[in-house]
Amino acid sequence: MRLLLLGGTGEARALAARLHDEVEVISSLAGRVPDPALPVGRVRIGGYGGAAGLRDWLTDNAVDAVVDATHPFAATITAHATAACRASQVPHLVLARPAWAPGRAVVVGSDVEAARVVAERGHRRVFLTTGRSGTAAFAGVDAWFLIRAVTAPDPDTLPADCELLLSRGPYHVDGERDLLQRYGIDVLVTKNSGGAMTHAKLDAAADLGVAVVMVERPPLPDGVEVVATVDEAVSWVRAREVSAS
């Protein structure tokens, strides 16, 4: 059985490690991170040319099933994978880690709306953790920003008054609490990425009474099959393997 595994997430790496002795796993990474954490086994880096290109790639490479374990905000590749798998009649699963409970956070629908909330509420010291693509919306906000990302954003997208912190999780509550206190942060801006790797910032913000603005994740395409854990994804792949044999 040949499985295409989409994603550069921790869940994708864990799934590749679980399955690489059982099926042929091709892990696919977008290539936007210059030094990604690589999974075990075969890795493909780069795009496909949209849904049609991915459909052709699935056919040309005789792929038996696709698991999409991309980041919850990677909506474009998820939409393309859904369309490509339906067109080529390849079984398709989305592994989507559970979202965080927003608690007392202000929930918004986009980076632009998050920037508006920060400005309207007069926040002055912002911990921005929405990733390298999320900084442009805040460029015109009159505040100081601590921006944490795995890869440096384009300098043209950065707010005028900011400090850049390049870092990759996991993070721990004590360290996050220290960071918020050291920089005098009064609001945390985050995407609802879910998972345990970066949840500590929410715990630290709650401990210190720091406000939270949370960008809700985009909806999944209608009709996709979804599981929440690596164990469930392993079971799904094994069931497809039995069917294929």
Side-chain angles (χ1 to χ4, degrees):
M1 179 180 177
R2 179 173 292 166
L3 173 72
L4 179 64
L5 175 54
L6 302 172
T9 59
E11 290 86 356
R13 292 190 295 275
L15 186 58
R18 292 276 299 275
L19 291 174
H20 81 283
D21 287 334
E22 301 180 34
V23 302
E24 181 184 355
V25 179
I26 305 171
S27 293
S28 177
L29 308 182
R32 296 189 181 94
V33 177
D35 184 26
L38 295 176
V40 297
R42 180 178 168 187
V43 177
R44 181 192 185 278
I45 296 178
Y48 294 90
L54 178 53
R55 178 200 61 210
D56 292 343
W57 195 93
L58 295 176
T59 301
D60 293 344
N61 290 271
V63 171
D64 296 299
V66 174
V67 175
D68 178 354
T70 55
H71 191 277
F73 282 81
T76 298
I77 185 58
T78 295
H80 289 171
T82 301
C85 289
R86 286 174 178 168
S88 56
Q89 297 186 328
V90 171
H92 172 227
L93 179 74
V94 174
L95 169 54
R97 69 179 76 136
W100 292 323
R104 60 187 180 83
V106 177
V107 178
V108 297
S110 67
D111 294 328
V112 171
E113 190 177 350
R116 179 183 59 78
V117 169
V118 169
E120 288 179 351
R121 299 198 173 198
H123 292 296
R124 304 301 303 163
R125 307 280 295 183
V126 185
F127 185 26
L128 184 60
T129 65
T130 55
R132 67 188 301 267
S133 63
T135 56
F138 297 84
V141 177
D142 182 18
W144 180 88
F145 290 83
L146 175 64
I147 300 172
R148 185 166 70 189
V150 175
T151 306
D154 184 331
D156 293 338
T157 70
L158 295 175
D161 195 5
C162 69
E163 180 174 331
L164 191 59
L165 177 61
L166 299 183
S167 167
R168 191 196 307 268
Y171 302 104
H172 305 285
V173 175
D174 289 345
E176 297 290 75
R177 190 187 299 112
D178 177 71
L179 191 71
L180 295 176
Q181 291 178 314
R182 183 162 19 108
Y183 285 94
I185 299 298
D186 62 29
V187 64
L188 162 67
V189 181
T190 181
K191 291 180 175 179
N192 191 341
S193 300
M197 185 173 287
T198 60
H199 189 274
K201 62 189 173 186
L202 296 174
D203 294 330
D207 288 349
L208 298 173
V210 171
V212 178
V213 178
M214 184 179 292
V215 181
E216 192 52 276
R217 59 176 62 178
L220 292 170
D222 291 339
V224 297
E225 189 172 357
V226 184
V227 297
T229 67
V230 171
D231 284 344
E232 290 173 294
V234 168
S235 296
W236 184 89
V237 171
R238 286 174 177 165
R240 304 287 87 69
E241 185 181 11
V242 170
S243 298
S245 62

